[in-house]
């Protein structure tokens, strides 16, 4: 994990020594209150905060502008940026090794486990007194809550899965970029046309670092399935089901009957987005809010970008929803916790809740030619989101019409949360299942799913 030296940001000297079983230093103590935090306002604090890995210089400059504005408001806090991107296969080691920033982000799926194991700081008393604490979408807020409803981690982004597509490859294949596929049969037809007429991958599929299970589960949800159900007493793995079978069979046919999935079957989030941004993939399923990463980290041509909702077919079909939580290191001192919540409030949520924050963030990004106003699924309600878009209307620099198939449809789609128990373990267990189907034409889908369900249930039962 690298650190970037930036002015006025300093290089972080990484610390080690946090063992895998370590719990929060404040375990058993009352969490810091806002009144107590106010008493720390003059205490000098150095705060390490996450910044995405591999950002273009312009995006780093936009971050620096915001960080400088924060330290001007809070002169007692020194902000140090550390490059960080959550990856399922490395996060546990980073957590155990003590190499994470003081403020870091994790997917919704990690919230419950981190809280139960007290591997993040209990900042609930601080978050409870934020002015918008009771305005979060209830489903979104639950991802960062303990069993008693206290908010240990703060939701900063939400998404519903969508299909990202390359408009240039669509046009080259004779497809209409303004009329993307609306059924899974149409997705398959478009993928085949792109592969045949452009020579590029028609449909790219993530398969590693827990992403294979994530996307397979997204497909199963869209076909009416769920990864887990609850019998009133416990969560039950529901992987060996017709919906998961249909999802794998669909991928099998794309791969072996249509030859529309290229020749890369070990994509993770980063490598798939790199190839999509480079125009090597026609369609890719991922979170609907990926535009910023594609532009700032993968240099995608904005003119080529398109996104649409997942086709929902079958009883109880839904788009899998998720998001990102901001959390604080379990070893953070009371003063660092207070500073961390101030940073989260300023950097992540100020742009979603206040006109000043929204405009300042948009101006910093626009000054560096970074994306402003890309449609996303709101953390709060749609009215709040629409208000922020009005505040920054003069600064929006993204092609909103190219998002219309997604932004016009996502609010009408039922969203279902990710499997609640052992979520990342479920995804990790399904990675090799997806890989097997894409690399072995005769893979036994029934046997693979039966074995995976048994493995996941064992993991759920272990807690």
């Amino acid at each position: 994990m690298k650190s970037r030296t930036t002015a006025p940001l300093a290089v972080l000297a990484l610390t080690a020594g946090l063992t895998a079983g370590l719990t929060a230093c404040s375990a058993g103590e009352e969490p810091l209150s806002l009144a107590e935090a106010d008493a720390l306002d003059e205490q000098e604090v150095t705060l390490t905060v996450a910044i995405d890995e591999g950002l273009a210089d312009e995006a780093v400059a936009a971050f620096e502008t915001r960080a400088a504005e924060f330290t001007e408001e809070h002169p007692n806090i020194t902000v140090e940026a550390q490059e960080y991107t959550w990856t399922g296969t490395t996060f546990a080691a980073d957590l155990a090794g003590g190499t994470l920033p003081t403020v870091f982000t994790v997917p919704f799926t990690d919230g419950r486990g981190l809280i139960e194991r007290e591997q993040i700081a209990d900042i609930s008393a601080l978050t409870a007194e934020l002015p918008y604490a009771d305005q979060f979408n209830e489903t979104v807020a639950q991802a960062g809550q303990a069993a008693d409803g206290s908010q240990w981690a703060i939701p900063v982004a939400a998404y519903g899965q969508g299909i990202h597509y390359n408009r240039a490859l669509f046009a080259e294949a004779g497809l209409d970029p303004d009329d993307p596929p609306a059924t899974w049969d149409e997705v398959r037809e478009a993928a085949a046309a792109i592969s045949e007429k452009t020579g590029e991958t028609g449909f790219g599929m993530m398969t590693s670092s827990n992403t294979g299970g994530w996307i397979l589960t997204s497909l199963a949800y869209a076909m009416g399935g769920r990864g887990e159900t609850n019998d009133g007493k416990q969560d039950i793995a529901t992987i060996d089901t017709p919906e998961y079978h249909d999802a794998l069979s669909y991928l099998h046919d794309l791969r072996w009957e249509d030859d529309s999935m290229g020749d890369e079957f070990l994509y993770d989030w980063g490598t798939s987005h790199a190839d999509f941004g480079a125009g090597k993939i026609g369609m890719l399923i991922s979170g609907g809010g990926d535009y910023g990463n594609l532009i700032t980290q993968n240099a995608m041509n904005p003119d080529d970008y398109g996104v649409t909702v997942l086709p929902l077919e079958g009883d109880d079909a839904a788009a899998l929803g998720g998001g990102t939580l901001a959390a604080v290191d379990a070893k953070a001192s009371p003063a660092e916790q207070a500073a961390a919540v101030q940073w989260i409030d300023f950097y992540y949520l100020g742009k979603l809740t206040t006109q000043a924050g929204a405009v300042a963030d948009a101006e910093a990004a626009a000054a560096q030619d970074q994306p402003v106003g890309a449609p996303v699924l709101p953390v709060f309600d749609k009215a709040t989101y629409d208000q922020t878009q009005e505040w920054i209307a003069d600064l929006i620099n993204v092609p909103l019409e190219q998002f219309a198939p997604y932004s016009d449809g996502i609010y009408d789609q039922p969203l279902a949360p990710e499997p609640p128990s052992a979520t990342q373990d479920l995804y990790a267990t399904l990675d090799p299942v997806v890989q097997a189907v894409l690399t072995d034409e005769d893979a036994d889908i029934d046997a693979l799913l039966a074995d995976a369900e048994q493995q996941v249930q064992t993991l759920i039962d272990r807690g």
Side-chain angles (χ1 to χ4, degrees), residues 110-286:
D110 278 24
R112 177 188 289 188
L114 290 170
I115 293 166
E116 289 177 348
R117 295 187 296 272
E118 297 184 331
Q119 290 176 307
I120 59 176
D122 180 0
I123 56 172
S124 59
L126 294 169
T127 60
E129 298 188 56
L130 292 170
Y132 45 77
D134 61 351
Q135 297 174 25
F136 287 107
N137 176 290
E138 184 177 348
T139 301
V140 167
Q142 287 176 351
Q145 291 175 352
D148 63 2
S150 58
Q151 198 79 43
W152 285 47
I154 302 177
V156 296
Y159 69 83
Q161 295 286 61
I163 298 177
H164 304 265
Y165 64 95
N166 186 298
R167 294 173 60 87
L169 290 180
F170 262 56
E172 187 177 345
L175 304 168
D176 183 355
D178 295 324
D179 186 23
T183 69
W184 289 114
D185 284 344
E186 291 176 0
V187 170
R188 184 176 173 183
E189 292 167 3
I194 291 167
S195 293
E196 179 182 354
K197 296 181 180 180
T198 73
E200 302 293 355
T201 297
F203 185 95
M205 178 68 189
M206 296 183 240
T207 67
S208 60
S209 299
N210 303 8
T211 60
W214 177 48
I215 302 304
L216 177 64
T217 298
S218 299
L219 283 167
Y221 273 43
M223 296 176 181
R226 296 294 185 273
E228 294 170 9
T229 58
N230 189 284
D231 64 0
K233 297 180 180 179
Q234 63 175 345
D235 291 326
I236 305 296
T238 50
I239 293 170
D240 186 10
T241 61
E243 293 83 9
Y244 269 92
H245 188 285
D246 289 347
L248 278 174
S249 296
Y250 183 80
L251 294 174
H252 175 278
D253 293 347
L254 283 169
R255 164 72 172 99
W256 296 105
E257 293 187 11
D258 303 345
D259 192 25
S260 60
M261 297 187 73
D263 55 9
E264 176 53 67
F265 306 113
L266 288 175
Y267 276 130
D268 61 12
W269 194 93
T271 55
S272 64
H273 283 62
D275 274 4
F276 181 79
K280 297 179 181 180
I281 296 175
M283 290 179 288
L284 181 75
I285 295 175
S286 188

Side-chain angles (χ1 to χ4, degrees), residues 24-149:
C25 62
S26 58
E29 301 176 5
E30 290 297 317
L32 190 70
S33 71
L34 196 60
E36 291 169 327
D38 288 341
L40 299 170
D41 277 351
E42 300 306 317
Q43 185 170 333
E44 295 293 326
V45 175
T46 296
L47 187 68
T48 58
V49 301
I51 182 173
D52 288 340
E53 292 178 324
L55 290 178
D57 290 343
E58 293 82 4
V60 174
F63 174 90
E64 291 174 350
T65 298
R66 295 295 284 145
E69 291 168 352
F70 176 77
T71 54
E72 184 176 357
E73 290 183 17
H74 305 280
N76 62 305
I77 302 174
T78 300
V79 173
E80 297 181 344
Q82 179 183 335
E83 288 194 340
Y84 160 86
T85 299
W86 182 93
T87 303
T89 52
T90 61
F91 176 75
D94 292 337
L95 181 67
T99 59
L100 297 174
T102 308
V103 180
F104 57 92
T105 55
V106 295
F108 280 7
T109 54
D110 278 24
R112 177 188 289 188
L114 290 170
I115 293 166
E116 289 177 348
R117 295 187 296 272
E118 297 184 331
Q119 290 176 307
I120 59 176
D122 180 0
I123 56 172
S124 59
L126 294 169
T127 60
E129 298 188 56
L130 292 170
Y132 45 77
D134 61 351
Q135 297 174 25
F136 287 107
N137 176 290
E138 184 177 348
T139 301
V140 167
Q142 287 176 351
Q145 291 175 352
D148 63 2

